[in-house]
């Protein structure tokens, strides 16, 4: 039904209905399943190929990230690239990092740490776009005495695929994940993620796609967001001086993960956290990048989030863990955002 497709196109897939609705109606999952059927035999929109397949483009861009950024962001060329990709002209295409996190990990000097093991899962966005976040997470965890490891193979939870119903591709990625992560799961080592949307895929989409797979269930239970892990371990470094922060909780962190763990860790670290009552930032993954949804996306952000941040003092930190939240804030009001890993890494090293 084109009418149902048109109605669901404005679903942000934020999963708040799953959490906040008394009946826990999971429209985001319904949307993914509907789109899998709807686009069987139909051509997906250009934005689906531009943003839904972002993992593929990010891996290709690593061969020449400078050239990729020039094509996507240069005057004229950038505008043409956005039109071809069905992206909003007003949006700035996120820049690919000149060196991915995994490249940094492969070449960093190693220090043996005789501490509890933990595996860091480098998602697409903190690997290829904001590697400084994953680097900070390594520094934080090692500073707390954990022996950090990273999967040898490049893995993906498939989050960008669900929006457009590429469930077969997502399931194929999960089969690979299960094969690579099986030894880790069997030893019981915790797996820590940094992107709330990615970790929610471990906890939500994975058991939905493999409801009878015991390995999938164990992987779901062993995967934690960074602040969930620190909260369970009772480990939170303390900043040298108390600071104030405005905090944008990612929708999936609110709906699927333990957002209260974030608050507890921030409080223990000496951060006076003002959690914004703004709901979804409006970017919602690829949603806010699409040309026809740009106005709706910005209307969501202008309801509470952006006006509040514009009025906040310049010295107040702006914390946002989700890649899409960070892009919406930085593009919408020019405030620099920090991931909780970046702030806590400074705390563990005693920096400002």
């Amino acid at each position: 039904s084109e009418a149902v497709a048109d109605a669901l196109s404005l679903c942000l897939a934020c999963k708040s209905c799953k959490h906040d609705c008394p009946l826990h109606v999971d429209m985001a999952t319904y949307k993914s399943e509907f789109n899998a059927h709807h686009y069987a035999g139909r051509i997906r929109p250009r934005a689906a190929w531009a943003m839904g397949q972002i993992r593929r483009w990010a891996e290709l861009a690593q061969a020449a990230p400078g050239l990729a950024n020039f094509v996507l962001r240069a005057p004229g060329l950038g505008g043409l690239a956005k039109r071809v990709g069905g992206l909003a002209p007003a949006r700035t295409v996120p820049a690919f990092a000149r060196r991915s996190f995994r490249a940094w990990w492969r070449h960093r000097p190693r220090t043996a740490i005789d501490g509890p093991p933990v595996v860091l899962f480098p998602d697409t966005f903190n690997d290829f776009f904001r590697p400084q976040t994953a680097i900070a997470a390594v520094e934080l965890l090692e500073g707390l005495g954990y022996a950090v490891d990273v999967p040898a193979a490049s893995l993906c939870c498939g989050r960008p695929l669900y929006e457009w119903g590429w469930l077969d591709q997502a399931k194929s990625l999960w089969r690979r994940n299960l094969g690579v992560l099986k030894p880790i799961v069997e030893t019981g080592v915790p797996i820590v993620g940094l992107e709330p949307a990615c970790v929610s895929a471990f906890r939500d989409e994975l058991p939905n796609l493999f409801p009878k797979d015991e390995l999938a269930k164990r992987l779901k239970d062993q995967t934690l967001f960074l602040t969930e892990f620190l909260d369970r371990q009772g480990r939170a470094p303390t900043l040298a001086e108390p600071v104030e922060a405005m905090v944008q909780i990612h929708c999936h962190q609110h709906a699927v993960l333990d957002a209260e763990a974030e608050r507890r860790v921030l409080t223990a670290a000496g951060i006076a956290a003002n959690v914004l009552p703004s709901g979804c930032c409006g970017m919602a993954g690829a949603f806010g990048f699409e040309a026809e949804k740009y106005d709706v996306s910005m209307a969501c952000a202008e309801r509470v989030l952006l006006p509040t941040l514009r009025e906040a003092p310049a010295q107040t930190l702006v914390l946002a863990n989700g890649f899409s939240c960070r892009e919406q804030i930085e593009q919408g009001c020019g405030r620099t955002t920090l991931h909780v890993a970046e702030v806590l890494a400074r705390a563990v090293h005693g920096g400002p």
Side-chain angles (χ1 to χ4, degrees), residues 245-251 254 263 266 272-281 301 303-312 316-320 325 329 333 335 337:
M246 310 291 279
V247 181
Q248 169 66 10
I249 297 290
H250 187 282
C251 292
H254 163 75
R263 293 179 175 90
L266 292 177
N274 178 10
V275 178
L276 299 173
S278 51
C280 184
C281 73
R303 191 179 62 84
V304 174
L305 177 62
L306 297 184
T308 304
L309 293 180
R310 291 188 189 107
E311 295 174 1
T316 301
L317 301 181
V318 179
L319 302 187
C325 302
I329 292 168
C333 69
R335 292 291 296 255
T337 62

Side-chain angles (χ1 to χ4, degrees), residues 1-10 34-35 38-39:
S1 167
E2 293 291 347
V4 174
D6 184 55
L8 286 176
S9 71
L10 289 177
F34 173 85
N35 281 339
H38 182 73
Y39 288 115

Side-chain angles (χ1 to χ4, degrees), residues 10 15 26 30 53 72 81 125 134 149 154 170-171 173 183 199 234 245 251 258 272 309 318 328 344:
L10 289 177
K15 295 181 181 282
D26 189 356
Y30 287 153
Q53 297 287 343
L72 292 172
F125 302 103
D149 200 4
S154 179
K171 202 165 185 176
L173 287 176
V199 179
C251 292
D258 183 2
L309 293 180
V318 179
Q328 183 78 308
L344 296 181

Side-chain angles (χ1 to χ4, degrees), residues 5-331:
D6 184 55
L8 286 176
S9 71
L10 289 177
C11 167
L12 294 160
C14 66
K15 295 181 181 282
S16 284
C17 52
K18 178 183 174 112
H19 180 274
D20 299 331
C21 172
L23 299 180
H24 307 296
V25 178
D26 189 356
M27 288 305 303
T29 295
Y30 287 153
K31 179 180 181 179
S32 294
E33 183 68 22
F34 173 85
N35 281 339
H37 296 282
H38 182 73
Y39 288 115
R42 288 184 174 90
I43 298 175
R44 285 174 170 82
R46 289 171 293 162
W49 294 96
M51 302 302 292
Q53 297 287 343
I54 190 65
R55 175 79 183 193
R56 181 178 300 178
W57 309 135
E59 289 178 335
L60 290 173
Q62 277 304 296
L67 176 61
N69 290 334
F70 176 77
V71 170
L72 292 172
R73 306 184 109 193
L77 271 178
L80 176 61
K82 283 187 276 190
R83 283 196 296 274
V84 170
L87 307 183
R91 286 294 183 197
T92 300
V93 178
F96 295 103
R98 292 197 172 273
R99 185 169 70 158
S100 70
F101 165 74
R102 292 178 60 79
W104 172 86
W105 174 261
R106 286 193 298 269
H107 296 99
R108 71 180 294 243
R110 301 298 175 88
T111 302
I113 297 177
D114 186 20
V118 62
V119 171
L120 185 68
F121 188 91
D123 60 275
T124 295
F125 302 103
N126 289 311
D127 187 2
F128 296 109
F129 293 95
R130 293 183 184 260
Q132 68 274 13
T133 298
I135 292 170
V138 171
E139 294 172 347
L140 165 64
L141 292 168
E142 290 186 342
L144 291 173
Y146 292 97
V148 181
D149 200 4
V150 172
S154 179
L155 304 176
C156 178
C157 72
R159 167 61 62 198
L161 300 171
Y162 302 119
E163 170 81 7
W164 298 103
W166 270 305
L167 298 186
D168 289 342
Q169 290 187 35
K171 202 165 185 176
S172 176
L173 287 176
W174 276 119
R175 287 194 183 96
R176 185 166 185 265
N177 292 346
L178 289 168
V180 171
L181 298 176
K182 182 179 179 181
I184 297 169
V185 174
E186 290 177 340
T187 56
V189 175
I191 298 171
V192 173
L194 302 173
E195 169 58 49
C198 176
V199 179
S200 79
F202 278 81
R203 305 264 277 274
D204 199 2
E205 278 78 10
L206 171 59
N208 283 347
L209 290 170
F210 299 91
K212 298 180 181 180
D213 191 310
E214 183 60 29
L215 183 63
K217 182 181 183 302
R218 291 178 63 183
L219 178 56
K220 168 200 169 184
D221 294 338
Q222 271 175 241
T223 304
L224 301 167
F225 185 70
L226 176 65
T227 46
E228 291 180 320
F229 174 74
L230 296 176
D231 184 57
R232 290 191 186 186
Q233 297 289 314
R235 304 290 299 277
T238 305
L239 287 167
E241 298 179 0
V243 298
E244 294 185 359
M246 310 291 279
V247 181
Q248 169 66 10
I249 297 290
H250 187 282
C251 292
H252 290 188
Q253 192 170 359
H254 163 75
V256 179
L257 311 181
D258 183 2
E260 290 303 316
E262 179 102 350
R263 293 179 175 90
R264 289 190 292 268
V265 168
L266 292 177
T267 299
I271 299 171
N274 178 10
V275 178
L276 299 173
S278 51
C280 184
C281 73
M283 187 66 89
F287 184 95
F289 282 99
E290 295 176 53
E292 65 271 20
K293 297 174 184 172
Y294 174 78
D295 291 340
V296 176
S297 170
M298 293 308 297
C300 291
E302 292 289 355
R303 191 179 62 84
V304 174
L305 177 62
L306 297 184
T308 304
L309 293 180
R310 291 188 189 107
E311 295 174 1
Q315 67 271 21
T316 301
L317 301 181
V318 179
L319 302 187
N321 297 321
F323 178 81
S324 55
C325 302
R326 299 182 73 175
E327 288 295 320
Q328 183 78 308
I329 292 168
E330 292 179 2
Q331 295 191 28

